[in-house]
Amino acid sequence: MPDDFVLLPRDTNQALGLGKYSIDFLTGTRGEPDAVVWQRTELFHLDSIACAVSAIACGTNAPRVLRDEALRYVVAEGSPGACCLGSMKRVWSEKAIVANSAAAREWDANGTNFGFNPQRGAIAGEFGHNDYYPVALAAAQEGTLDGRTLVRGMILLDEIRGRLAEVFALRNHKIDHVLHGAIASAATYGAMLGATAEQIESAIGMVVAHYVPFRAIRHGHQLSDSKGASAALSTEAAVLSIRRAMDGFVGPADIFRNPQAVFCLFEPPSRSTESPFDLALATGGSDFAVMGMHFKLGLYEHQSAGAIEGLVRLLADHPALLEDADSLKTIRITIYQPAFSIIGDPHKRDPHTRQSADHSLDYIVSSLLRKALASRRASWEDLMLMPQDYGDEALGHPLTRALMERIEFRHGGVDYDAKYPDGIPTTVEIEHRSLGWFSSGLVMYPAGHARNTSGNLERLLEVKFRRLASLGVDDVESLRERFSGLSAKSAAEIATLCDFQLRSDPNNDSLGH
């Protein structure tokens, strides 16, 4: 194990070890992340802010409900608390967290991790998203902490949940990936506010024993608010758990080795004194989990990024395909498991809600192709999917629906499956009635992927930020400046970070500043 990692072996109390690691990391006693880690984390956070403010201002349902709830829990003057985005009202921290996390996640357009680390043999491949930055923000506001500590907390949160995703695939047991984020949230929030390692252990024990979210929230022909708000609701439970632990409540100890808890229950270790995995966590350098996370460049299920890249390449190389929609006979997409069964699921071939449409590869590809046919342009910037591409009019657009009927899915078999999750192996082919077949070739690392080397990421992220943020605020540049350079901001600046004016949906008068 390199000097800039700490190992929590499977035959030790890893919950207590996470508590000690978190406290040491927050105080900087074990090492220092390289500058690139700070920069990458801030870039992911900035991206999540554009997602959140646009979702709130557009009046999306779950963020509206949870924000309204949060604003009813105002703390007494002078009492500690945190703020919802676009408000200076101090509310209970867990309520600010659940509102802000739900908003960041609502569009399903923020960062993604794949839980894949072949260099260390940690390839469980669990998904996850950076929905949890509001946990660190609330702790910083409640504890009057500066920006450097805030960003350090964000790095810590991503590190814990990212490394757990590498060693234990919750989806294999029908458990939602947000459990990893909830564990990380309890550890980070506690460490930022002075909890002991034993208190963090108790909180993690409570989260795992009492608040395990199953993937039932994602089941059904049309998805509900529960899917998008899953991380937010889990963070709320995590913060309540660490608060109770800090007040003296003692939760289950040594939860990762508990034979009745989900980890050992579903993946019994060879010895009763062990958990199912060793856990390695970075303390310094550049090899942090956040460096392997992927950006989404619009609103789409992350596994469709390969198909989007393939379509963009194909249309850019063969502009004749955009001359006549009727000449497009077949759109064939060859993809890997689990994408073939998730976003190619026949149940998702007729979506009627945004939450279902952004998980329908038929709809995503057909919408992009419709936009390209209308504009005769084909690039990520031109075709980037925004909230309006999932509105009622777009969902029922006759050309989109006609193109969806021409899509064929193929499972690429073992050759494709073996290349995931290192990449997102996808091939897009289009059959033109008179010109024949055209192919994108195999796509592995689309734009936004951690291993993409095209060099256009920051430009595309800026386009995405401006388009989303313009739905939420009048002064996009001011918002961008406010949330840039967090690690250099004072505690006073962090305290007022949420004090900006949101543009509320004209049909919704409940999102007051």
Side-chain angles (χ1 to χ4, degrees):
M1 183 61 56
D3 291 341
D4 51 7
F5 269 77
V6 61
L7 178 66
L8 304 181
R10 65 185 65 205
D11 62 354
T12 65
N13 182 345
Q14 292 165 313
L16 183 62
L18 277 175
K20 293 176 179 177
Y21 163 78
S22 299
I23 293 167
D24 287 347
F25 185 81
L26 257 297
T27 55
T29 58
R30 283 186 175 266
E32 185 74 7
D34 287 349
V36 66
V37 178
W38 295 87
Q39 294 162 2
R40 192 78 165 182
T41 303
E42 288 211 39
L43 197 58
F44 273 114
H45 178 252
L46 185 64
D47 180 63
S48 75
I49 291 298
C51 295
V53 298
S54 54
I56 297 167
C58 288
T60 53
N61 194 56
R64 176 189 61 79
V65 171
L66 295 171
R67 180 183 172 86
D68 284 353
E69 175 185 303
L71 293 175
R72 294 196 294 268
Y73 285 82
V74 178
V75 300
E77 185 72 29
S79 298
C83 297
C84 296
L85 291 168
S87 172
M88 270 302 287
K89 290 181 179 178
R90 289 272 174 162
V91 301
W92 293 9
S93 291
E94 61 269 28
K95 297 300 183 182
I97 288 168
V98 75
N100 291 339
S101 292
R105 184 67 187 146
E106 177 66 18
W107 297 138
D108 198 2
N110 53 342
T112 301
N113 64 271
F114 279 59
F116 184 72
N117 189 349
Q119 290 78 14
R120 302 197 183 281
I123 54 173
E126 182 57 87
F127 310 137
H129 308 281
N130 55 12
D131 311 325
Y132 307 92
Y133 295 145
V135 174
L137 175 58
Q141 290 183 331
E142 182 177 338
T144 320
L145 306 175
D146 62 16
R148 187 80 174 172
T149 307
L150 166 58
V151 179
R152 189 181 287 274
M154 293 176 179
I155 297 170
L156 172 63
L157 222 160
D158 279 339
E159 182 65 12
I160 295 173
R161 69 176 188 82
R163 300 307 182 185
L164 284 170
E166 292 174 0
V167 297
F168 196 92
L170 293 163
R171 71 183 186 281
N172 292 345
H173 312 293
K174 312 303 181 186
I175 300 171
D176 198 52
H177 58 70
V178 303
L179 179 61
H180 287 333
I183 292 169
S185 295
T188 301
Y189 190 85
M192 291 181 72
L193 292 179
T196 67
E198 290 76 15
Q199 289 167 340
I200 292 173
E201 177 193 9
S202 274
I204 292 173
M206 281 186 267
V207 168
V208 175
H210 295 282
Y211 303 109
V212 174
F214 280 81
R215 289 184 67 86
I217 61 172
R218 299 169 182 270
H219 185 72
H221 290 198
Q222 305 296 328
L223 299 179
S224 70
D225 284 335
S226 288
K227 178 259 178 186
S230 182
L233 298 177
S234 290
T235 60
E236 182 181 32
V239 171
L240 285 171
S241 295
I242 189 64
R243 281 183 177 280
R244 286 171 178 149
M246 293 173 74
D247 285 340
F249 190 99
V250 179
D254 203 358
I255 198 70
F256 293 106
R257 292 192 293 181
N258 186 322
Q260 300 300 313
V262 291
F263 299 103
C264 289
L265 183 65
F266 288 120
E267 296 186 13
S270 57
R271 294 183 177 87
S272 61
T273 56
E274 296 179 344
S275 79
F277 50 79
D278 297 318
L279 187 62
L281 300 149
T283 57
S286 61
D287 189 9
F288 279 79
V290 70
M291 301 305 294
M293 286 174 55
H294 313 285
F295 287 94
K296 288 187 183 181
L297 302 174
L299 278 64
Y300 54 82
E301 158 61 26
H302 65 264
Q303 296 186 81
S304 64
I308 297 173
E309 179 80 28
L311 184 65
V312 167
R313 290 182 190 177
L314 186 55
L315 298 179
D317 290 343
H318 305 285
L321 293 171
L322 294 176
E323 293 177 1
D324 177 23
D326 291 336
S327 296
L328 305 180
K329 183 178 179 181
T330 306
I331 303 105
R332 179 181 296 159
I333 303 170
T334 305
I335 204 163
Y336 59 94
Q337 286 283 15
F340 181 73
S341 60
I342 296 177
I343 56 177
D345 183 353
H347 290 157
K348 298 187 175 76
R349 304 209 72 165
D350 184 27
H352 293 280
T353 66
R354 171 176 53 79
Q355 292 93 333
S356 295
D358 70 13
H359 274 59
S360 167
L361 192 53
D362 301 76
Y363 181 83
I364 291 167
V365 169
S366 298
S367 293
L368 290 163
L369 188 50
R370 172 183 59 79
K371 293 177 71 172
L373 287 162
S375 65
R376 297 293 193 270
R377 299 170 68 89
S379 71
W380 275 93
E381 293 97 320
D382 297 319
L383 305 183
M384 191 176 289
L385 292 170
M386 290 285 111
Q388 55 267 35
D389 294 309
Y390 295 91
D392 290 342
E393 183 177 349
L395 284 170
H397 197 287
L399 179 55
T400 300
R401 291 287 168 167
L403 292 169
M404 288 171 69
E405 295 298 320
R406 304 174 204 176
I407 289 182
E408 294 180 359
F409 286 113
R410 287 188 176 181
H411 176 213
V414 294
D415 288 343
Y416 277 65
D417 292 350
K419 293 179 173 65
Y420 172 82
D422 173 64
I424 308 182
T426 311
T427 300
V428 179
E429 300 168 284
I430 293 181
E431 181 185 14
H432 190 279
R433 293 187 185 279
S434 59
L435 300 176
W437 283 94
F438 297 85
S439 176
S440 66
L442 179 67
V443 173
M444 276 289 286
Y445 308 123
H449 193 284
R451 283 177 279 285
N452 178 277
T453 57
S454 63
N456 61 357
L457 176 63
E458 291 197 12
R459 185 185 79 252
L460 292 175
L461 285 175
E462 184 172 353
V463 171
K464 176 188 172 185
F465 184 93
R466 294 185 184 283
R467 289 182 185 173
L468 281 177
S470 67
L471 300 175
V473 296
D474 293 324
D475 190 346
V476 172
E477 200 56 46
S478 177
L479 183 75
R480 187 177 181 84
E481 182 178 350
R482 171 178 289 271
F483 284 94
S484 296
L486 284 187
S487 59
K489 294 186 185 297
S490 67
E493 289 174 307
I494 297 303
T496 59
L497 197 61
C498 297
D499 185 19
F500 60 90
Q501 184 67 52
L502 277 168
R503 183 195 302 129
S504 297
D505 187 299
N507 297 316
N508 178 19
D509 60 4
S510 62
L511 300 180
H513 178 62

